[in-house]
Protein backbone atom coordinates (compact mmCIF):
# COMPACT_ATOMS: atom_id res chain seq x y z
CA UNK A 1 0.00 0.00 0.00
CA UNK A 2 1.24 3.48 -0.84
CA UNK A 3 1.27 5.72 2.15
CA UNK A 4 2.23 9.27 2.92
CA UNK A 5 3.38 10.59 6.23
CA UNK A 6 2.06 13.46 8.28
CA UNK A 7 -0.87 14.32 6.04
CA UNK A 8 -3.77 13.55 8.35
CA UNK A 9 -1.72 10.65 9.61
CA UNK A 10 -0.56 7.71 7.50
CA UNK A 11 -3.15 7.05 4.84
CA UNK A 12 -3.25 5.39 1.50
CA UNK A 13 -3.30 7.86 -1.34
CA UNK A 14 -6.45 6.20 -2.61
CA UNK A 15 -8.26 7.21 0.56
CA UNK A 16 -7.96 10.89 -0.32
CA UNK A 17 -10.33 10.37 -3.24
CA UNK A 18 -14.00 9.67 -2.60
CA UNK A 19 -15.25 7.57 -5.47
CA UNK A 20 -18.90 7.73 -4.47
CA UNK A 21 -19.11 11.47 -3.86
CA UNK A 22 -16.79 12.46 -6.69
CA UNK A 23 -14.50 14.47 -4.43
CA UNK A 24 -10.77 14.87 -4.05
CA UNK A 25 -9.00 15.98 -0.91
CA UNK A 26 -7.20 19.31 -1.12
CA UNK A 27 -4.26 17.60 0.58
CA UNK A 28 -3.36 16.15 -2.81
CA UNK A 29 -2.71 19.70 -4.04
CA UNK A 30 -0.93 21.18 -1.03
CA UNK A 31 1.08 18.45 0.69
CA UNK A 32 4.85 18.34 -0.03
CA UNK A 33 5.05 14.56 0.38
CA UNK A 34 2.49 14.11 -2.36
CA UNK A 35 4.47 16.48 -4.58
CA UNK A 36 7.71 14.59 -4.05
CA UNK A 37 6.01 11.33 -4.85
CA UNK A 38 4.49 12.82 -8.02
CA UNK A 39 7.92 13.82 -9.26
CA UNK A 40 9.20 10.27 -8.80
CA UNK A 41 6.15 8.28 -9.81
CA UNK A 42 4.74 10.47 -12.59
CA UNK A 43 7.32 12.88 -14.00
CA UNK A 44 10.13 10.30 -14.09
CA UNK A 45 7.91 7.89 -16.01
CA UNK A 46 5.60 9.80 -18.33
CA UNK A 47 6.24 11.11 -21.80
CA UNK A 48 6.72 14.86 -21.34
CA UNK A 49 6.59 17.64 -23.90
CA UNK A 50 9.86 19.49 -24.51
CA UNK A 51 9.25 21.89 -27.36
CA UNK A 52 9.00 22.10 -31.14
CA UNK A 53 11.60 21.34 -33.77
CA UNK A 54 11.10 24.76 -35.36
CA UNK A 55 12.78 26.24 -32.27
CA UNK A 56 16.05 24.54 -33.19
CA UNK A 57 16.24 24.40 -37.01
CA UNK A 58 20.04 24.60 -37.39
CA UNK A 59 22.90 22.34 -36.29
CA UNK A 60 24.03 23.42 -32.84
CA UNK A 61 20.72 25.10 -32.00
CA UNK A 62 19.44 24.37 -28.52
CA UNK A 63 16.67 25.23 -26.09
CA UNK A 64 16.58 24.56 -22.38
CA UNK A 65 13.31 22.89 -21.48
CA UNK A 66 12.14 21.10 -18.36
CA UNK A 67 11.06 17.63 -17.27
CA UNK A 68 9.34 17.96 -13.94
CA UNK A 69 11.53 20.07 -11.67
CA UNK A 70 14.66 19.53 -13.76
CA UNK A 71 16.13 21.30 -16.77
CA UNK A 72 16.95 19.48 -19.96
CA UNK A 73 18.96 20.71 -22.93
CA UNK A 74 17.26 19.94 -26.22
CA UNK A 75 19.87 20.25 -28.93
CA UNK A 76 20.28 19.52 -32.63
CA UNK A 77 23.66 17.87 -33.12
CA UNK A 78 26.15 19.55 -35.40
CA UNK A 79 27.23 16.31 -37.04
CA UNK A 80 24.23 14.05 -37.58
CA UNK A 81 21.60 16.84 -37.25
CA UNK A 82 19.56 14.67 -34.87
CA UNK A 83 17.74 16.20 -31.92
CA UNK A 84 18.53 14.81 -28.48
CA UNK A 85 17.72 15.80 -24.91
CA UNK A 86 20.06 15.77 -21.92
CA UNK A 87 19.85 16.65 -18.26
CA UNK A 88 21.36 20.09 -17.72
CA UNK A 89 23.76 18.92 -15.05
CA UNK A 90 27.48 18.39 -15.37
CA UNK A 91 28.45 14.81 -14.60
CA UNK A 92 31.42 16.02 -12.52
CA UNK A 93 29.86 18.20 -9.83
CA UNK A 94 26.32 18.82 -11.04
CA UNK A 95 26.68 22.41 -12.22
CA UNK A 96 24.40 23.58 -15.00
CA UNK A 97 26.33 23.33 -18.24
CA UNK A 98 23.94 25.72 -19.95
CA UNK A 99 22.48 28.87 -18.40
CA UNK A 100 20.73 30.31 -21.44
CA UNK A 101 17.16 29.67 -22.56
CA UNK A 102 18.13 29.12 -26.18
CA UNK A 103 21.00 29.64 -28.58
CA UNK A 104 23.53 27.93 -30.81
CA UNK A 105 26.53 26.14 -29.36
CA UNK A 106 29.61 24.30 -30.43
CA UNK A 107 29.97 22.72 -27.00
CA UNK A 108 28.44 23.01 -23.56
CA UNK A 109 31.25 24.01 -21.24
CA UNK A 110 30.78 23.67 -17.51
CA UNK A 111 32.04 26.91 -15.95
CA UNK A 112 33.10 25.06 -12.80
CA UNK A 113 35.93 22.72 -13.90
CA UNK A 114 35.56 22.97 -17.68
CA UNK A 115 34.10 19.53 -18.26
CA UNK A 116 32.86 20.02 -21.79
CA UNK A 117 30.25 18.20 -23.87
CA UNK A 118 29.55 18.32 -27.59
CA UNK A 119 26.08 18.66 -29.10
CA UNK A 120 25.63 14.88 -28.98
CA UNK A 121 26.20 14.96 -25.22
CA UNK A 122 29.63 13.34 -25.42
CA UNK A 123 32.30 14.43 -22.96
CA UNK A 124 34.96 15.92 -25.24
CA UNK A 125 37.22 17.60 -22.73
CA UNK A 126 37.96 18.11 -19.06
CA UNK A 127 40.12 20.88 -17.69
CA UNK A 128 43.65 19.57 -17.04
CA UNK A 129 42.69 16.42 -18.96
CA UNK A 130 46.13 16.23 -20.56
CA UNK A 131 48.08 17.71 -17.68
CA UNK A 132 50.91 15.38 -16.60
CA UNK A 133 50.06 15.86 -12.93
CA UNK A 134 46.31 15.41 -13.27
CA UNK A 135 44.03 12.61 -14.47
CA UNK A 136 46.39 10.31 -16.34
CA UNK A 137 44.65 6.97 -16.79
CA UNK A 138 41.73 8.11 -14.61
CA UNK A 139 40.57 10.61 -17.21
CA UNK A 140 36.78 10.09 -17.60
CA UNK A 141 35.66 8.35 -20.76
CA UNK A 142 32.53 8.11 -22.89
CA UNK A 143 30.38 6.85 -20.05
CA UNK A 144 30.65 10.31 -18.50
CA UNK A 145 28.61 12.08 -21.17
CA UNK A 146 25.55 14.13 -20.26
CA UNK A 147 22.64 12.06 -18.93
CA UNK A 148 20.40 11.43 -21.91
CA UNK A 149 16.65 10.81 -21.77
CA UNK A 150 15.70 7.17 -22.06
CA UNK A 151 13.36 7.68 -25.01
CA UNK A 152 12.85 10.60 -27.36
CA UNK A 153 10.22 11.22 -30.01
CA UNK A 154 9.79 13.82 -32.72
CA UNK A 155 6.06 13.57 -33.45
CA UNK A 156 5.23 15.74 -36.46
CA UNK A 157 7.56 18.43 -35.16
CA UNK A 158 6.61 18.22 -31.48
CA UNK A 159 9.38 16.93 -29.23
CA UNK A 160 8.74 14.52 -26.37
CA UNK A 161 10.85 12.47 -23.98
CA UNK A 162 10.68 10.15 -21.03
CA UNK A 163 13.28 9.16 -18.46
CA UNK A 164 11.83 5.66 -18.25
CA UNK A 165 13.19 3.05 -20.68
CA UNK A 166 10.18 0.84 -19.92
CA UNK A 167 7.59 3.42 -20.96
CA UNK A 168 5.52 2.34 -23.96
CA UNK A 169 6.06 3.95 -27.35
CA UNK A 170 4.81 7.51 -27.63
CA UNK A 171 1.97 6.44 -29.92
CA UNK A 172 0.89 3.75 -27.46
CA UNK A 173 1.10 6.32 -24.67
CA UNK A 174 -1.27 8.59 -26.61
CA UNK A 175 -3.60 5.75 -27.55
CA UNK A 176 -6.78 7.01 -29.22
CA UNK A 177 -5.53 10.61 -29.05
CA UNK A 178 -2.72 10.06 -31.55
CA UNK A 179 -4.79 11.28 -34.50
CA UNK A 180 -5.87 14.36 -32.55
CA UNK A 181 -2.32 15.42 -31.72
CA UNK A 182 -1.30 14.91 -35.33
CA UNK A 183 -4.25 17.06 -36.44
CA UNK A 184 -3.38 19.86 -34.01
CA UNK A 185 0.17 19.96 -35.41
CA UNK A 186 -0.98 20.34 -38.99
CA UNK A 187 -1.01 23.66 -40.76
CA UNK A 188 -4.37 25.13 -41.67
CA UNK A 189 -4.30 23.38 -45.05
CA UNK A 190 -3.89 19.97 -43.42
CA UNK A 191 -0.18 19.50 -44.08
CA UNK A 192 1.44 17.29 -41.46
CA UNK A 193 3.94 19.10 -39.27
CA UNK A 194 3.17 22.31 -41.12
CA UNK A 195 3.67 24.67 -38.19
CA UNK A 196 6.43 26.84 -36.84
CA UNK A 197 6.38 28.31 -33.36
CA UNK A 198 6.81 31.96 -32.42
CA UNK A 199 9.94 32.59 -30.40
CA UNK A 200 10.78 33.62 -27.82
CA UNK A 201 7.72 32.14 -26.20
CA UNK A 202 5.82 33.07 -23.09
CA UNK A 203 6.47 31.75 -19.63
CA UNK A 204 4.62 32.60 -16.47
CA UNK A 205 5.60 31.51 -12.98
CA UNK A 206 2.58 31.02 -10.77
CA UNK A 207 2.42 30.48 -7.01
CA UNK A 208 0.14 27.47 -7.16
CA UNK A 209 0.27 23.70 -7.36
CA UNK A 210 0.82 22.29 -10.85
CA UNK A 211 -2.44 20.37 -10.74
CA UNK A 212 -4.49 23.54 -10.29
CA UNK A 213 -3.92 24.56 -13.91
CA UNK A 214 -2.76 21.13 -15.12
CA UNK A 215 -5.58 18.97 -13.81
CA UNK A 216 -8.40 21.11 -12.52
CA UNK A 217 -8.47 23.79 -15.18
CA UNK A 218 -7.30 22.20 -18.41
CA UNK A 219 -10.37 21.72 -20.59
CA UNK A 220 -12.67 23.12 -17.94
CA UNK A 221 -15.82 23.85 -19.88
CA UNK A 222 -17.67 25.80 -17.25
CA UNK A 223 -15.09 28.43 -16.35
CA UNK A 224 -15.06 30.57 -19.46
CA UNK A 225 -18.47 32.16 -19.15
CA UNK A 226 -17.53 33.97 -15.96
CA UNK A 227 -13.74 34.02 -15.92
CA UNK A 228 -13.37 35.42 -19.43
CA UNK A 229 -16.48 37.56 -19.57
CA UNK A 230 -14.58 40.83 -19.29
CA UNK A 231 -12.00 39.81 -21.90
CA UNK A 232 -14.76 38.96 -24.34
CA UNK A 233 -16.34 42.34 -23.67
CA UNK A 234 -13.01 44.00 -24.46
CA UNK A 235 -13.08 42.52 -27.96
CA UNK A 236 -9.88 40.52 -27.98
CA UNK A 237 -10.86 37.76 -30.35
CA UNK A 238 -9.64 37.47 -33.92
CA UNK A 239 -12.11 40.07 -35.17
CA UNK A 240 -11.26 42.54 -32.37
CA UNK A 241 -14.88 42.91 -31.39
CA UNK A 242 -16.11 43.89 -34.84
CA UNK A 243 -18.78 41.20 -34.82
CA UNK A 244 -17.39 39.96 -38.08
CA UNK A 245 -17.71 36.26 -37.44
CA UNK A 246 -20.94 34.87 -38.86
CA UNK A 247 -22.20 31.34 -38.41
CA UNK A 248 -21.31 29.16 -41.37
CA UNK A 249 -23.31 26.36 -42.91
CA UNK A 250 -24.11 23.89 -40.14
CA UNK A 251 -21.80 20.88 -40.21
CA UNK A 252 -23.07 17.69 -38.60
CA UNK A 253 -21.15 17.20 -35.40
CA UNK A 254 -21.55 16.46 -31.71
CA UNK A 255 -19.56 18.05 -28.90
CA UNK A 256 -18.65 16.39 -25.62
CA UNK A 257 -16.27 16.34 -22.70
CA UNK A 258 -14.31 13.10 -22.71
CA UNK A 259 -11.87 11.30 -20.47
CA UNK A 260 -9.64 8.29 -21.03
CA UNK A 261 -9.55 6.77 -17.57
CA UNK A 262 -7.02 4.17 -18.71
CA UNK A 263 -4.43 6.59 -20.10
CA UNK A 264 -5.38 9.87 -18.41
CA UNK A 265 -5.87 12.02 -21.50
CA UNK A 266 -9.05 13.93 -22.24
CA UNK A 267 -10.81 17.22 -22.75
CA UNK A 268 -13.20 18.73 -25.19
CA UNK A 269 -14.21 16.61 -28.15
CA UNK A 270 -16.05 17.07 -31.43
CA UNK A 271 -17.27 14.03 -33.31
CA UNK A 272 -17.78 14.92 -36.97
CA UNK A 273 -20.54 12.90 -38.55
CA UNK A 274 -19.42 13.11 -42.16
CA UNK A 275 -16.19 13.49 -44.13
CA UNK A 276 -14.90 16.92 -45.06
CA UNK A 277 -14.36 20.11 -43.09
CA UNK A 278 -16.78 22.83 -41.98
CA UNK A 279 -17.02 25.91 -44.20
CA UNK A 280 -14.47 28.60 -43.41
CA UNK A 281 -15.94 31.58 -41.60
CA UNK A 282 -14.35 35.02 -41.99
CA UNK A 283 -13.17 36.24 -38.60
CA UNK A 284 -9.97 38.28 -38.91
CA UNK A 285 -9.70 42.02 -38.36
CA UNK A 286 -6.51 42.44 -40.40
CA UNK A 287 -6.94 42.76 -44.18
CA UNK A 288 -6.03 39.76 -46.29
CA UNK A 289 -5.83 37.24 -43.46
CA UNK A 290 -9.22 35.72 -44.15
CA UNK A 291 -8.26 35.42 -47.82
CA UNK A 292 -5.29 33.29 -46.83
CA UNK A 293 -7.16 31.05 -44.39
CA UNK A 294 -10.11 30.67 -46.77
CA UNK A 295 -7.73 29.42 -49.42
CA UNK A 296 -5.94 26.97 -47.09
CA UNK A 297 -9.28 25.75 -45.77
CA UNK A 298 -10.24 24.97 -49.35
CA UNK A 299 -7.13 22.87 -49.80
CA UNK A 300 -7.82 21.10 -46.54
CA UNK A 301 -11.37 20.36 -47.70
CA UNK A 302 -9.95 18.62 -50.74
CA UNK A 303 -7.54 16.64 -48.58
CA UNK A 304 -10.35 15.56 -46.27
CA UNK A 305 -12.97 15.00 -48.95
CA UNK A 306 -13.24 11.35 -47.97
CA UNK A 307 -11.87 11.55 -44.44
CA UNK A 308 -13.48 12.40 -41.13
CA UNK A 309 -11.67 15.01 -39.06
CA UNK A 310 -9.98 14.04 -35.82
CA UNK A 311 -12.09 15.06 -32.85
CA UNK A 312 -9.73 17.81 -31.62
CA UNK A 313 -8.07 20.92 -32.96
CA UNK A 314 -8.94 23.43 -35.67
CA UNK A 315 -12.37 24.18 -34.23
CA UNK A 316 -12.83 20.79 -32.60
CA UNK A 317 -11.66 21.85 -29.16
CA UNK A 318 -8.56 21.23 -27.11
CA UNK A 319 -7.48 18.29 -25.04
CA UNK A 320 -4.88 17.38 -22.46
CA UNK A 321 -2.14 14.79 -22.61
CA UNK A 322 -1.37 13.30 -19.22
CA UNK A 323 0.09 14.63 -17.06
CA UNK A 324 0.39 18.30 -17.93
CA UNK A 325 0.14 19.26 -21.61
CA UNK A 326 -2.80 21.10 -23.15
CA UNK A 327 -3.02 20.87 -26.91
CA UNK A 328 -5.05 22.95 -29.33
CA UNK A 329 -4.61 23.65 -33.00
CA UNK A 330 -1.39 25.68 -33.38
CA UNK A 331 -1.04 26.11 -29.62
CA UNK A 332 0.55 24.01 -26.91
CA UNK A 333 0.51 24.98 -23.27
CA UNK A 334 2.22 22.98 -20.59
CA UNK A 335 3.06 23.14 -16.92
CA UNK A 336 6.36 22.62 -15.16
CA UNK A 337 6.15 21.98 -11.43
CA UNK A 338 8.87 23.63 -9.35
CA UNK A 339 7.67 22.87 -5.84
CA UNK A 340 4.40 22.11 -4.13
CA UNK A 341 3.14 25.66 -4.49
CA UNK A 342 4.98 26.85 -7.60
CA UNK A 343 4.47 26.06 -11.25
CA UNK A 344 5.61 27.54 -14.55
CA UNK A 345 3.23 27.72 -17.45
CA UNK A 346 4.84 27.75 -20.89
CA UNK A 347 2.89 28.57 -24.02
CA UNK A 348 4.05 27.82 -27.55
CA UNK A 349 1.94 29.42 -30.25
CA UNK A 350 2.40 28.44 -33.86
CA UNK A 351 1.47 29.53 -37.31
CA UNK A 352 1.59 27.94 -40.76
CA UNK A 353 5.29 27.91 -41.59
CA UNK A 354 4.48 28.70 -45.23
CA UNK A 355 2.10 31.57 -44.43
CA UNK A 356 2.91 35.05 -45.80
CA UNK A 357 4.28 37.67 -43.44
CA UNK A 358 1.05 39.60 -43.00
CA UNK A 359 -0.70 36.43 -41.84
CA UNK A 360 2.10 35.54 -39.44
CA UNK A 361 1.97 39.05 -38.02
CA UNK A 362 -1.80 38.94 -37.53
CA UNK A 363 -1.63 35.58 -35.78
CA UNK A 364 1.26 36.77 -33.62
CA UNK A 365 -0.68 39.87 -32.58
CA UNK A 366 -3.68 37.71 -31.78
CA UNK A 367 -1.74 35.34 -29.55
CA UNK A 368 -0.17 38.32 -27.79
CA UNK A 369 -3.61 39.70 -27.05
CA UNK A 370 -4.64 36.28 -25.88
CA UNK A 371 -1.62 35.20 -23.86
CA UNK A 372 0.85 37.96 -23.34
CA UNK A 373 1.67 40.27 -20.46
CA UNK A 374 -0.73 42.73 -22.01
CA UNK A 375 -3.18 39.99 -22.93
CA UNK A 376 -6.32 39.04 -21.12
CA UNK A 377 -7.61 35.53 -21.46
CA UNK A 378 -4.69 33.70 -19.92
CA UNK A 379 -4.25 36.40 -17.30
CA UNK A 380 -7.84 35.81 -16.24
CA UNK A 381 -7.06 32.15 -15.72
CA UNK A 382 -3.88 32.80 -13.84
CA UNK A 383 -5.57 35.14 -11.40
CA UNK A 384 -7.89 32.31 -10.44
CA UNK A 385 -5.07 29.82 -10.14
CA UNK A 386 -2.99 32.15 -8.00
CA UNK A 387 -5.72 32.56 -5.43
CA UNK A 388 -6.85 28.93 -5.39
CA UNK A 389 -3.64 27.77 -3.75
CA UNK A 390 -3.44 30.10 -0.72
CA UNK A 391 -7.17 29.69 -0.18
CA UNK A 392 -6.81 25.90 -0.16
CA UNK A 393 -3.67 25.23 1.87
CA UNK A 394 -4.53 26.61 5.29
CA UNK A 395 -4.97 24.19 8.15
CA UNK A 396 -8.73 24.58 7.94
CA UNK A 397 -9.09 24.87 4.18
CA UNK A 398 -7.02 21.77 3.41
CA UNK A 399 -9.41 19.60 5.40
CA UNK A 400 -12.07 20.25 2.77
CA UNK A 401 -12.54 18.41 -0.49
CA UNK A 402 -12.76 19.65 -4.07
CA UNK A 403 -15.96 18.82 -5.97
CA UNK A 404 -15.34 16.85 -9.16
CA UNK A 405 -18.75 15.19 -9.44
CA UNK A 406 -20.09 17.26 -12.34
CA UNK A 407 -21.64 14.61 -14.61
CA UNK A 408 -20.43 11.71 -12.47
CA UNK A 409 -22.10 8.48 -13.55
CA UNK A 410 -23.50 9.86 -16.79
CA UNK A 411 -20.57 9.03 -19.07
CA UNK A 412 -20.71 6.32 -21.73
CA UNK A 413 -18.23 4.51 -23.92
CA UNK A 414 -18.29 5.35 -27.62
CA UNK A 415 -16.88 3.22 -30.44
CA UNK A 416 -15.51 6.31 -32.16
CA UNK A 417 -12.87 6.60 -29.41
CA UNK A 418 -12.46 3.12 -27.94
CA UNK A 419 -11.92 3.02 -24.20
CA UNK A 420 -12.75 6.69 -23.71
CA UNK A 421 -15.68 7.86 -21.59
CA UNK A 422 -17.88 10.41 -23.38
CA UNK A 423 -19.98 12.80 -21.35
CA UNK A 424 -21.77 16.13 -21.58
CA UNK A 425 -19.70 19.01 -22.94
CA UNK A 426 -19.73 20.87 -19.63
CA UNK A 427 -19.02 17.93 -17.33
CA UNK A 428 -15.77 17.10 -15.52
CA UNK A 429 -15.16 13.75 -17.21
CA UNK A 430 -11.66 14.76 -18.32
CA UNK A 431 -10.68 15.86 -14.82
CA UNK A 432 -11.85 12.57 -13.34
CA UNK A 433 -9.91 10.65 -15.99
CA UNK A 434 -6.73 12.50 -15.03
CA UNK A 435 -7.15 11.47 -11.43
CA UNK A 436 -7.88 7.88 -12.43
CA UNK A 437 -4.53 7.75 -14.17
CA UNK A 438 -2.83 9.84 -11.49
CA UNK A 439 -3.78 7.25 -8.88
CA UNK A 440 -2.56 4.42 -11.10
CA UNK A 441 0.84 6.10 -11.40
CA UNK A 442 1.06 6.90 -7.72
CA UNK A 443 0.35 3.29 -6.79
CA UNK A 444 2.34 1.54 -9.54
CA UNK A 445 5.76 0.10 -8.86
CA UNK A 446 6.79 0.41 -12.51
CA UNK A 447 5.46 0.63 -16.06
CA UNK A 448 4.75 -3.10 -15.78
CA UNK A 449 1.76 -2.11 -13.65
CA UNK A 450 0.71 0.70 -16.00
CA UNK A 451 0.89 -0.57 -19.57
CA UNK A 452 -0.71 -2.43 -21.17
CA UNK A 453 -3.53 -1.19 -19.00
CA UNK A 454 -4.87 -4.12 -17.06
CA UNK A 455 -8.49 -3.27 -16.54
CA UNK A 456 -8.91 -6.24 -14.25
CA UNK A 457 -6.78 -4.48 -11.70
CA UNK A 458 -8.57 -2.10 -9.44
CA UNK A 459 -6.36 0.90 -10.13
CA UNK A 460 -9.08 3.06 -11.61
CA UNK A 461 -11.24 5.17 -9.41
CA UNK A 462 -13.78 6.26 -11.97
CA UNK B 1 52.66 35.90 -48.89
CA UNK B 2 50.44 36.51 -45.87
CA UNK B 3 52.20 37.68 -42.74
CA UNK B 4 51.97 35.36 -39.74
CA UNK B 5 50.52 36.97 -36.64
CA UNK B 6 51.54 35.77 -33.23
CA UNK B 7 49.10 35.98 -30.35
CA UNK B 8 50.20 36.84 -26.83
CA UNK B 9 48.26 34.42 -24.63
CA UNK B 10 49.71 35.67 -21.36
CA UNK B 11 48.18 37.97 -18.78
CA UNK B 12 44.73 39.61 -18.85
CA UNK B 13 44.99 40.37 -22.53
CA UNK B 14 45.80 36.76 -23.23
CA UNK B 15 42.44 35.60 -21.89
CA UNK B 16 40.65 37.87 -24.32
CA UNK B 17 42.99 36.89 -27.15
CA UNK B 18 42.36 33.20 -26.52
CA UNK B 19 38.59 33.63 -26.55
CA UNK B 20 38.77 35.41 -29.89
CA UNK B 21 41.25 33.22 -31.78
CA UNK B 22 39.96 32.84 -35.33
CA UNK B 23 39.64 29.65 -37.31
CA UNK B 24 42.87 28.82 -39.08
CA UNK B 25 45.06 29.86 -36.18
CA UNK B 26 47.94 27.41 -35.73
CA UNK B 27 48.51 26.19 -32.17
CA UNK B 28 51.61 24.55 -30.79
CA UNK B 29 50.84 22.55 -27.70
CA UNK B 30 53.07 22.02 -24.69
CA UNK B 31 53.60 18.41 -25.75
CA UNK B 32 54.92 19.54 -29.12
CA UNK B 33 51.82 18.70 -31.15
CA UNK B 34 50.66 21.23 -33.74
CA UNK B 35 47.12 21.82 -34.93
CA UNK B 36 44.91 24.33 -36.62
CA UNK B 37 41.79 25.79 -35.02
CA UNK B 38 38.67 24.70 -36.88
CA UNK B 39 36.12 26.11 -34.39
CA UNK B 40 36.15 28.33 -31.34
CA UNK B 41 33.16 28.16 -28.98
CA UNK B 42 34.30 31.46 -27.42
CA UNK B 43 33.83 30.02 -23.93
CA UNK B 44 37.27 31.10 -22.78
CA UNK B 45 38.42 27.56 -22.19
CA UNK B 46 38.39 25.48 -25.33
CA UNK B 47 39.04 25.47 -29.03
CA UNK B 48 38.59 22.64 -31.50
CA UNK B 49 41.70 21.85 -33.51
CA UNK B 50 42.71 19.44 -36.25
CA UNK B 51 46.13 17.95 -35.62
CA UNK B 52 48.80 18.55 -38.24
CA UNK B 53 51.72 17.10 -36.30
CA UNK B 54 51.86 14.95 -33.23
CA UNK B 55 55.31 13.81 -32.04
CA UNK B 56 53.98 11.24 -29.55
CA UNK B 57 51.01 9.81 -31.46
CA UNK B 58 51.16 10.16 -35.25
CA UNK B 59 47.76 8.48 -35.58
CA UNK B 60 46.20 11.68 -34.28
CA UNK B 61 47.27 13.66 -37.32
CA UNK B 62 44.10 14.68 -39.15
CA UNK B 63 41.94 14.02 -36.12
CA UNK B 64 39.94 16.68 -34.29
CA UNK B 65 40.22 17.32 -30.60
CA UNK B 66 39.24 19.98 -28.12
CA UNK B 67 42.22 21.73 -26.54
CA UNK B 68 42.17 23.53 -23.21
CA UNK B 69 43.92 26.87 -22.99
CA UNK B 70 46.57 25.74 -20.53
CA UNK B 71 47.74 23.01 -22.89
CA UNK B 72 48.90 25.57 -25.45
CA UNK B 73 52.37 27.03 -25.88
CA UNK B 74 51.94 29.40 -28.82
CA UNK B 75 49.28 30.59 -31.23
CA UNK B 76 49.97 32.07 -34.63
CA UNK B 77 47.87 32.68 -37.66
Amino acid sequence: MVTILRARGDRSIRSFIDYERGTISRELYVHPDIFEQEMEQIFQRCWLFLGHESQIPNPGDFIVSRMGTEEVIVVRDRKDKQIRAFLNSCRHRGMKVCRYDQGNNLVFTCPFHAWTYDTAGKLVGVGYGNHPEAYGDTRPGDQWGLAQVAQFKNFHGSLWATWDPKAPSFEDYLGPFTASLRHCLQSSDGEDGGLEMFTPFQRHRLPTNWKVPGFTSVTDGTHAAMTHRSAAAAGLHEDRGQGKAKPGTPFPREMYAIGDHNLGHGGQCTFYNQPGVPDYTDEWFEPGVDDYFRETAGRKAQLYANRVLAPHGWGGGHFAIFPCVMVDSWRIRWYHPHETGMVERWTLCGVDKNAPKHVKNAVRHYVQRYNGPTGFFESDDMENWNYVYPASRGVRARKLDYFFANGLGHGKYDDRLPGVVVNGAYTEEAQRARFSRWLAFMEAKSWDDLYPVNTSKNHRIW
Amino acid sequence: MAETKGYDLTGKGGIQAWSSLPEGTKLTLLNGAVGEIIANPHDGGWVLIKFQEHPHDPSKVGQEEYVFFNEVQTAAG
Side-chain angles (χ1 to χ4, degrees), chain A residues 228-351:
Chain A
H228 300 307
R229 188 163 170 76
S230 59
L236 297 171
H237 286 290
E238 290 92 332
D239 69 348
R240 300 194 189 188
Q242 301 299 301
K244 189 175 179 182
K246 299 289 189 300
T249 306
F251 194 90
R253 56 188 158 188
E254 306 155 39
M255 302 184 78
Y256 299 100
I258 61 172
D260 187 333
H261 291 254
N262 295 317
L263 298 175
H265 319 310
Q268 300 170 331
C269 170
T270 300
F271 287 132
Y272 296 94
N273 293 329
Q274 68 179 41
V277 300
D279 289 342
Y280 180 76
T281 303
D282 286 1
E283 59 183 358
W284 286 89
F285 175 84
E286 291 86 346
V289 179
D290 279 320
D291 296 335
Y292 170 79
F293 282 121
R294 199 181 308 112
E295 192 271 330
T296 58
R299 277 189 273 139
K300 185 171 182 176
Q302 291 178 343
L303 196 64
Y304 279 83
N306 299 306
R307 292 162 59 187
V308 175
L309 283 168
H312 300 95
W314 296 102
H318 50 239
F319 71 104
I321 297 171
F322 188 89
C324 58
V325 184
M326 178 173 163
V327 185
D328 200 351
S329 43
W330 56 263
R331 190 172 50 177
I332 301 178
R333 289 166 277 189
W334 73 118
Y335 305 94
H336 298 296
H338 279 248
E339 52 192 69
T340 312
M342 190 64 70
V343 65
E344 266 188 48
R345 173 191 172 101
W346 291 10
T347 303
L348 272 180
C349 294
V351 65

Side-chain angles (χ1 to χ4, degrees), chain A residues 12 62 100 123 161 280 302 328 333 378 417-418:
Chain A
S12 74
F62 71 88
Y100 297 91
L123 181 67
Y280 180 76
Q302 291 178 343
D328 200 351
R333 289 166 277 189
E378 312 268 308
L417 279 178

Side-chain angles (χ1 to χ4, degrees), chain A residues 79 105-109 113-116 118 124-131 139, chain B residues 29 31 39-43 45-48 60 64-71:
Chain A
K79 290 181 179 170
N105 256 7
L106 183 65
V107 288
F108 295 96
T109 302
H113 302 89
W115 282 40
T116 295
D118 68 11
V124 294
V126 298
Y128 291 84
N130 292 322
H131 196 282
R139 178 174 169 157
Chain B
L29 309 191
N31 64 8
N40 185 343
H42 308 292
D43 61 6
W46 298 92
V47 292
L48 181 61
K60 284 197 169 182
E64 299 174 4
E65 191 169 299
Y66 284 91
V67 172
F68 201 47
F69 72 92
N70 64 5
E71 300 172 20

Side-chain angles (χ1 to χ4, degrees), chain A residues 187-216:
Chain A
S187 49
S188 61
D189 62 359
E191 178 192 340
D192 275 328
L195 299 179
E196 67 181 20
M197 298 293 159
F198 294 113
T199 57
F201 63 94
Q202 293 163 359
R203 308 171 184 202
H204 303 87
R205 186 171 289 201
L206 307 167
T208 194
N209 183 261
W210 70 275
K211 295 191 297 300
V212 172
F215 269 32
T216 305

Side-chain angles (χ1 to χ4, degrees), chain B:
Chain B
M1 186 172 167
E3 193 173 325
T4 301
K5 177 185 177 186
Y7 294 92
D8 181 1
L9 302 180
T10 62
K12 285 196 295 185
I15 297 172
Q16 183 62 40
W18 172 264
S19 299
S20 307
L21 288 176
E23 293 177 13
T25 303
K26 185 174 283 191
L27 301 184
T28 302
L29 309 191
L30 293 170
N31 64 8
V34 176
E36 183 177 290
I37 294 178
I38 57 174
N40 185 343
H42 308 292
D43 61 6
W46 298 92
V47 292
L48 181 61
I49 69 167
K50 180 178 278 188
F51 284 111
Q52 297 172 326
E53 302 171 29
H54 202 296
H56 310 297
D57 187 357
S59 68
K60 284 197 169 182
V61 174
Q63 291 188 7
E64 299 174 4
E65 191 169 299
Y66 284 91
V67 172
F68 201 47
F69 72 92
N70 64 5
E71 300 172 20
V72 175
Q73 191 170 35
T74 63

